[in-house]
Amino acid sequence: KTRSLLSVFEEDAGTLTEYTNQLLQAMQRVYGAQNEMCLATQQLSKQLLAYEKQHFALGKGDEEVISTLHYFSKVVDELNILHSELAKQLADTMVLPIIQFREKDLTEVSTLKDLFGLASNEHDVSMAKYSRLPKRKENEKLKAEVAKEVANARRKQHLSSLQYYCALNALQYRKRVAMMEPMLGYTRGQISFFKKGAEMFSKRMDSFLSSVSDMVQSIQGELEAEAEKMRVSQQDLIAVNESVYTPDSDVTSPAINRNLIQKAGYLNLRSKTGLVTTTWERLYFFTQGGNLMCQPRGAVAGGLIQDLDNCSVMAVDCEDRRYCFQITTPTGKAGITLQAESKKEYEEIGHHWLTETYFFFSHFYFSQNVKNMENDKIIPSESASIQDSTQLIAPGTPIQFDIVLPAMEFLDQNRGGRRANPFGESEDSSKDEEEDSLLQQMFIVRFLGSMAVQSDATSEVIYEAMRQVLAARAIHNIFRMTESHLMVTSKNLRLIDPQTQVTRTSFDLPTVTQFAAHQDNRRLIGFVVHLSEPLGEESMSAYVFESNTEGEKICYAISLGKEIIEAKKDPEALAQLMKSVPLTNDGKFILLNDESEEDGAMREGEESEA
C-alpha cells in the first residue's frame, strides 16, 4: 500500500514538473513582452523628440505639432518608467518564484527520490547477504557484522524514505503556493501600473487580492504545521531502539502473534535457473481467501502464486539457508520453496496457515531435518473455531451459484419421489394471497449462492455461509450473478425477474428463521430458510445476496413483516405498529387498501450496479 501510494505521489510530482516548465515558458514570454514594451516606449519617446530635428520642406505650423509631440514624449517617458517598474515587478514576483520552485522544490524531490532508490538498493543487497548466512556452524562475528550492516542499511533507507515522503507531502502544499504566488505578483504589478497610470481599478480588486494573500499565508501556516509534525515524527523514529531494525534480534524467544487474521510480508522465493542452479528473489506475499498471493514491486495488485486448498507445508533444508519451508500440493508434488526473514516470521506463518485457513488446508507441519521427517510431529492447533464452523455447516457441503436450483435440492437428488419446485415455491401460489398484505417493499439484489446448513440457532451460520460462498467464487473465478427484485411482504419473500416481472421463487416469512447483514460489507445480506420435508425430515438452507442498498434495511423490513404476523392476532397492536412504521428514501411501506400491488411494488428503482 505504501509503495502504491508512493507511486501516485511520484506521478503527481512528474506531472507537476512538466506543467511547471510549460508555465515558466509562458511567464517568461510575458516578461519578455513587457521588456520589449519598455524598449518600444523608450524608442517611441526618442522618435517623438526627433520630429523637431527633421527638415521638412513644408514645415509651416510645425511649432504646435512639435510642442504637442514634446508633451506626448514626456507622457511616454512617464509611461516607460511605469513599464520598467512593471517589468521589474514581473521578474521579481512572477518569474523568480516559479524558477525558485522548479530549481529548489522540484529538484529536491528528484534528488531525494534518487537517494531513496540508492538506499533501497543498498538494503536489498545487505538483506541478500544476510539471507545467505549459513544455518550450521555459522561465524558469530560474521553474523554480527552482517546484522549490523543490515541495521545500518535499514536505518539509512528509513531516514531517506522519511525525508522523501516529507518532501512529497510538502510539495502538495508548495505547489499550490507556487501556482498562486506568481499570478499574485503578476496581478499586483498590473494593478499598480494601471493605478499609477489612470486609476482604473477599484477597491473591489484590492479586497480580492487581499483575500488571496490571506489564503497564501494560511497555506504557509499549514505547511509549517505539517513540517513540524513530520519533524517530531522523525525524531521519535530516530530515537527507537536499535533492535527494531535488527533482523532476528529476539531469536531465542520471539514474540509470536497467534491471533493473526491475515499474514503478509516479504519472503525469499526460490526459482530454478538451470538444471542445478537456483536464484532467490525477495518478494511481497500475503494470504487472501485461502490463496497465497504475490505482489512484485511496482505492481498495482497481487497475483495468485499457489492455491492452498488441501496443501501441506513443511520445513526443508535448502542450500544451507535458515527458515526455509516448502508447500506441497494435494497430489504430493513439491510446490514452491520460500524462506522467512526471521524465526518470528517463520513461526507466525506456520501458526497462521494452520489455524486461520483451515478451510483450505488439510494439515500444516514443520520438520527440523529432512532426514528425520518421519519422526516429525504435527503442530497442535486450537480447533475451537473449526469445530464451531463444522457444527454450523458440514464440511464439503456443495454450494449452488445458480438461482434455478436451491441448495436444499442437493439433499433430495437421491431420495426419489416428486421433485419440489425451486426454493420451495408452491405452484398454486396466486396473486390473491398477497392482496391483503400490509407490507410491501422492494429491493434490488443479486444472488451469490446458497448451501445447506446444519443449524439456524444463531446468525453466525449466515456469516459462515457468506465466507464460504465468497471464497468459493474467488477460487473458481465465478463472477456471474443473477439480479432480481426482492419483494418483502408481511406474508413472504419473493424474488421477481426484473424483466418479465415473473416471480422466480417465494419463501413464506415464518420459514425464514435467521436473517442478518454482513458486519463489514453492509451490502451483503443472508437468511436461513427452515422447511419440513414430506417424510418428516427437516432441511435448512442459507441464501446469500448482494444488495444495492444496505442489508440492514432489508433485515428491518423482514423483521417488520414478522412483527405484523404476530400483531395480526391483536387488531389494536396491529394498528399501533403500522402507525410507527417510518418512510424511507429507498422505498416505502404501502397499505394495499390504498394502492394496488402493481402500482405499489413495481416502481422504477435505481439501476443495477452489476
Side-chain angles (χ1 to χ4, degrees), residues 86 127 159 176-177 223 259 272 310 412 427 429 435 456 541 545 547 570:
L86 177 59
M127 279 305 304
L159 289 176
R176 290 185 281 172
V177 175
L223 170 59
N259 298 316
K272 288 187 177 181
N310 294 325
D412 299 330
E427 297 177 356
S429 59
E435 290 185 352
D456 61 351
S541 300
F545 297 86
S547 171
D570 185 355

Side-chain angles (χ1 to χ4, degrees), residues 62-97:
D62 282 349
E63 291 80 11
E64 183 178 358
V65 174
I66 291 172
S67 63
T68 303
L69 291 179
H70 278 198
Y71 179 80
F72 276 121
S73 177
K74 292 180 181 179
V75 172
V76 171
D77 285 337
E78 293 176 357
L79 289 175
N80 183 57
I81 295 174
L82 295 180
H83 279 296
S84 298
E85 292 179 357
L86 177 59
K88 186 176 182 304
Q89 287 181 350
L90 292 180
D92 295 338
T93 62
M94 183 181 71
V95 179
L96 182 61

Side-chain angles (χ1 to χ4, degrees), residues 288-338:
Q288 184 179 51
N291 297 318
L292 180 62
M293 313 291 287
C294 176
Q295 184 170 353
R297 186 169 298 180
V300 296
L304 178 65
I305 291 294
Q306 179 70 51
D307 181 0
L308 301 176
D309 189 10
N310 294 325
C311 289
S312 60
V313 181
M314 66 181 67
V316 294
D317 282 340
C318 190
E319 301 178 10
D320 203 21
R321 288 186 174 226
R322 301 170 301 158
Y323 311 135
C324 294
F325 57 94
Q326 186 180 79
I327 300 176
T328 304
T329 63
T331 60
K333 183 179 179 181
I336 61 175
T337 301
L338 300 167

Side-chain angles (χ1 to χ4, degrees), residues 175-189:
K175 75 175 182 181
R176 290 185 281 172
V177 175
M179 296 301 106
M180 290 187 291
E181 189 176 14
M183 293 310 302
L184 188 63
Y186 169 81
T187 308
R188 281 179 170 171

Side-chain angles (χ1 to χ4, degrees), residues 1 61 94 128 173 221 226 239 276 285 340 353 355 411 435 478 490 511 537 552 558 597:
K1 290 183 179 178
M94 183 181 71
Y173 296 93
E226 181 69 18
V276 294
F285 292 84
W353 285 358
T355 58
L411 304 177
E435 290 185 352
I478 299 176
S490 59
T511 64
E537 300 179 357
E552 291 292 343
I558 297 175
E597 177 180 343

